[in-house]
Amino acid sequence: MNTFKERSNYLKAIALMSIFTFVFLGIEYLFVDMISLLVSENRIVLSQNYVLGMSCLGFILYPLYNRYFKGLSRKICIVISVAIIGLITIIYLHPTYPLTLITGLVLFLFLGGLGGVTSYKALCILPDQKYLARCVGLSYMIGILLQFINNNFISVSLIESIVLDIFMCLLMFVLTTVPNTLKHHLDVSMVKIERQICGGLLILLVFMMSCVFSTLDNAVTLLHATGEINVEELPRILLALSGFVGGIIFDLKERRFMSMIMYCVMVLSTICIVVLKYSELYLIGLIVFYMTAGFFVVFFTTSFMEIAMYMKFPDLWAGLGRGVNNLAAMLLTKGSLFFINSQDDLTAIILAICLFFFVSIITFTYVIQRKKLIEKLSESQKTLLTKEEKILKIKEHYAFTPRESEVFEYLISTEDSVQDIANNMYVSKRTLERYISAIYKKTGVKSRVSLLNIYNNYEGAVTNK
């Protein structure tokens, strides 16, 4: 792949994730702002975490939709866009608390699904994982800055809602232009147990860390609802910068130390909870919260996108990071509110110590297991051809042209119809059929199944010199 195309794909993936971040956080902020006009501070926090929990269901449902409908069609995107615009309008009007809450639940179900498809399609167009954390960090920074501009330079809530509608429609349009095929999905049948253990530990780790960050977020939401702080002010810029810095740091040494760096950041976050709970230094606590929260978002997003490459259902795992985080936020709402409002300092301290202890164990276990997984994958890749190597050798053997090679890869990697493949390649169906005929002629087969057999039965060993 040439350098220009690689850069183009990186920029497209960053743009995709940036727009989603802005839309998701912007709608969350609008929901909290509107619901705060109807209920007390504690019910605001409960409502916020309920809708976040509903978004987790959307992240899980997207892979099921993807299995049966093979991606997002333009008609489906138009229907979803109209539905989301209608739901945003109802939230802006906030007629009653029950109606606003129900609308928020439905809206965030859609947003969860969009989060899943955004993460997966971003992974599909990235040329490799070398700069994965940097891409996630940069896109997060851009999304936060867009939200900051929308909240601070547009003082009318109606216009803010319209801006969100426009960007949401832009997101839907971009999603329809991105291929639905993960070209770098690795054959990891030899590490089935290792990847399952690693995936389970990652889910548990992010869930436990979310306990800390959800408590922090709830504390900030309460302070904002009471008017003691304003989350629209400049400290929020630190959230954008911390995400960007976190992406750069995490990518060092092929993300080998990412989990340990995140563990150290979490220690700082635990101190931040103490500051927000036991002192009047709200601004300091707020600054520490934003400095660490950006690292956490980049950590769980990058970790799940990375491990998706090794999983049987990459479209599920790619966006599962935010899903797990949001689920934890919903399940731990009452516990975090108890911690924040509790006057029993001893109980609060014991809970914090227990949480810190469990996170420490899970972090170190995950680091060891991830290292074993990477080492075993590296060892297996020395003896087995990767998918790209197979494609290259078959291409050379049958003298495929570059375009025929691309078509061949689609035919053996997906179950997409000829029309869907033509749409992904931006060619007409008739043109694609000519490429397929040429491939069949060169390989001496007459069906897609026979073509797949050629690929599956191709020599799997690399000769060691």
Side-chain angles (χ1 to χ4, degrees):
M1 184 180 292
N2 59 64
T3 304
F4 175 78
K5 189 173 182 181
E6 285 183 353
R7 290 177 180 174
S8 165
N9 286 339
Y10 274 121
L11 292 174
K12 195 169 186 178
I14 291 170
L16 195 62
M17 292 187 287
S18 300
I19 296 172
F20 171 74
T21 299
F22 167 61
V23 170
F24 189 93
L25 296 181
I27 293 177
E28 181 186 356
Y29 181 86
L30 178 69
F31 175 79
V32 172
D33 227 23
M34 295 299 103
I35 211 80
S36 66
L37 301 175
L38 302 171
V39 294
S40 64
E41 291 85 359
N42 279 358
R43 291 186 74 184
I44 293 171
V45 175
L46 288 170
S47 301
Q48 179 189 25
N49 288 326
Y50 287 154
V51 297
L52 288 178
M54 181 60 73
S55 72
C56 179
L57 181 59
F59 279 98
I60 296 173
L61 289 177
Y62 161 67
L64 297 176
Y65 167 87
N66 197 33
R67 289 287 178 282
Y68 290 101
F69 296 98
K70 306 299 180 185
L72 292 170
S73 67
R74 284 183 172 83
K75 290 182 180 179
I76 292 294
C77 285
I78 291 173
V79 172
I80 293 175
S81 299
V82 172
I84 291 179
I85 289 174
L87 294 169
I88 291 175
T89 303
I90 295 174
I91 287 178
Y92 166 73
L93 296 174
H94 58 282
T96 63
Y97 171 68
L99 180 58
T100 305
L101 178 60
I102 292 172
T103 302
L105 292 171
V106 177
L107 177 56
F108 275 81
L109 178 64
F110 279 114
L111 290 177
L114 289 180
V117 66
T118 298
S119 299
Y120 176 64
K121 290 209 169 189
L123 200 58
C124 286
I125 57 179
L126 283 173
D128 53 49
Q129 291 198 29
K130 184 177 181 181
Y131 303 113
L132 179 58
R134 296 183 196 183
C135 290
V136 172
L138 181 58
S139 64
Y140 184 71
M141 181 182 73
I142 295 172
I144 292 293
L145 291 178
L146 287 173
Q147 186 197 5
F148 179 82
I149 292 170
N150 195 37
N151 294 148
N152 285 272
F153 294 94
I154 301 176
S155 56
V156 182
S157 297
L158 176 60
I159 299 178
E160 290 182 20
S161 302
I162 293 173
V163 171
L164 289 171
D165 291 337
I166 294 172
F167 272 85
M168 189 276 304
C169 291
L170 177 61
L171 173 64
M172 298 302 294
F173 171 76
V174 176
L175 286 174
T176 61
T177 66
V178 178
N180 198 45
T181 305
L182 188 59
K183 295 183 178 180
H184 302 287
H185 192 202
L186 301 176
D187 180 10
V188 288
S189 55
M190 294 181 63
V191 290
K192 181 179 180 180
I193 297 178
E194 288 82 357
R195 68 179 181 177
Q196 289 176 346
I197 294 175
C198 202
L201 285 171
L202 180 59
I203 290 175
L204 188 58
L205 176 60
V206 171
F207 188 91
M208 296 299 291
M209 285 187 172
S210 294
C211 297
V212 174
F213 288 96
S214 293
T215 302
L216 281 170
D217 187 50
N218 291 338
V220 171
T221 300
L222 282 174
L223 292 172
H224 174 60
T226 56
E228 295 183 58
I229 63 170
N230 186 354
V231 298
E232 298 176 10
E233 294 177 352
L234 289 178
R236 191 166 179 80
I237 296 294
L238 290 173
L239 183 61
L241 293 176
S242 69
F244 178 66
V245 173
I248 294 176
I249 295 176
F250 286 155
D251 262 340
L252 297 176
K253 299 293 183 180
E254 299 180 340
R255 296 181 292 281
R256 190 179 306 166
F257 306 111
M258 181 170 66
S259 300
M260 294 309 302
I261 294 172
M262 188 61 233
Y263 174 77
C264 295
V265 171
M266 195 212 65
V267 174
L268 185 61
S269 303
T270 306
I271 297 173
C272 176
I273 293 179
V274 176
V275 172
L276 285 174
K277 180 173 174 61
Y278 299 112
S279 78
E280 299 298 324
L281 302 175
Y282 295 142
L283 182 60
I284 295 177
L286 188 64
I287 289 173
V288 175
F289 165 66
Y290 284 142
M291 287 175 61
T292 56
F295 273 76
F296 181 54
V297 174
V298 175
F299 169 74
F300 68 63
T301 304
T302 302
S303 296
F304 276 91
M305 289 181 73
E306 178 187 61
I307 204 170
M309 301 294 294
Y310 315 136
M311 293 300 184
K312 184 177 181 180
F313 302 110
D315 49 354
L316 169 64
W317 286 87
L320 199 57
R322 188 175 290 276
V324 172
N325 176 68
N326 292 350
L327 179 63
M330 181 188 71
L331 296 178
L332 300 169
T333 301
K334 292 185 178 180
S336 64
L337 286 176
F338 167 78
F339 178 85
I340 295 168
N341 297 321
S342 174
Q343 301 301 317
D344 186 350
D345 294 348
L346 179 60
T347 300
I349 292 173
I350 292 174
L351 287 174
I353 292 174
C354 290
L355 177 62
F356 180 78
F357 175 73
F358 283 116
V359 171
S360 300
I361 293 176
I362 297 168
T363 300
F364 286 98
T365 306
Y366 172 71
V367 168
I368 295 171
Q369 190 61 40
R370 181 183 180 275
K371 183 180 178 182
K372 289 181 179 179
L373 175 64
I374 299 299
E375 288 176 349
K376 196 161 185 178
L377 280 170
S378 300
E379 183 179 336
S380 66
Q381 293 305 310
K382 292 177 182 179
T383 57
L384 294 179
L385 286 174
T386 64
K387 179 179 179 180
E388 288 74 18
E389 288 172 332
K390 276 191 177 184
I391 295 291
L392 180 60
K393 288 183 177 293
I394 293 173
K395 168 191 169 182
E396 293 173 349
H397 181 79
Y398 292 105
F400 288 159
T401 65
R403 203 59 165 164
E404 289 169 354
S405 297
E406 188 175 356
V407 173
F408 176 75
E409 187 169 353
Y410 272 110
L411 292 174
I412 65 169
S413 302
T414 74
E415 297 179 2
D416 294 350
S417 66
V418 173
Q419 185 61 62
D420 289 338
I421 296 174
N423 292 339
N424 288 335
M425 294 183 64
Y426 307 106
V427 299
S428 67
K429 183 178 179 181
R430 181 173 296 180
T431 300
L432 180 61
E433 287 173 343
R434 286 201 299 268
Y435 287 130
I436 295 174
S437 296
I439 292 171
Y440 284 170
K441 184 177 180 180
K442 289 182 178 181
T443 55
V445 300
K446 296 182 179 181
S447 70
R448 192 168 175 176
V449 173
S450 299
L451 204 63
L452 185 60
N453 287 335
I454 289 178
Y455 170 76
N456 289 334
N457 296 326
Y458 196 78
E459 180 186 9
V462 177
T463 304
N464 293 322
K465 296 183 180 180

